[in-house]
Amino acid sequence: MAGRGSRRPRRGDGPRLRRRGRLERHSLGWVCARDGGVLVGFVDVAWDGGAHAFVLDTVVAERCRGGGVGTSLVRLAAEVSRAAGCQWLHVDFEERLRAFYVDACGFRTTAAGLIAL
């Protein structure tokens, strides 16, 4: 029997439900900024289910850049991560974004490894 607010699985649901399950396991959520109801900024916060959270896809509308929207989004992402019990917030970024992430948001640089796949 399907519970309230749910429905019985249908043929073809498999891949969609698997994606949803992965999203629910690995996402702490999205932090959004709006100006008069219009989305002007966005950060996705992923996690490993334990001590580590990850800032992904930080985006701010061009007209809103330089006004603190991005730093506020990252600050809120840190608060969400801390509230979930995470001890570390990670971010990978291109060199051109160093001033934003390191200087404005307070990330410190660390040694890390990367393999191109």
Side-chain angles (χ1 to χ4, degrees), residues 26-31 43-47 53-56 77 80-81 89:
H26 299 293
S27 179
L28 283 176
W30 300 271
V31 181
V43 170
D44 186 7
V45 185
W47 72 327
F54 308 86
V55 168
L56 303 171
V80 166
S81 301
L89 182 60

Side-chain angles (χ1 to χ4, degrees), residues 82-99:
R82 189 176 297 111
C86 296
Q87 298 171 0
W88 300 99
L89 182 60
H90 302 261
V91 67
D92 290 332
F93 54 87
E94 297 173 8
E95 185 60 32
R96 66 184 178 84
L97 297 171
R98 176 175 293 278

Side-chain angles (χ1 to χ4, degrees), residues 32-41 63:
C32 299
R34 297 184 182 278
D35 180 17
V38 176
L39 183 67
V40 295
R63 66 181 175 83

Side-chain angles (χ1 to χ4, degrees), residues 69-112:
V69 173
T71 54
S72 293
L73 289 169
V74 172
R75 180 179 38 75
L76 287 170
E79 291 175 13
V80 166
S81 301
R82 189 176 297 111
C86 296
Q87 298 171 0
W88 300 99
L89 182 60
H90 302 261
V91 67
D92 290 332
F93 54 87
E94 297 173 8
E95 185 60 32
R96 66 184 178 84
L97 297 171
R98 176 175 293 278
F100 172 69
Y101 284 110
V102 175
D103 300 336
C105 295
F107 284 92
R108 63 180 171 87
T109 58
T110 62

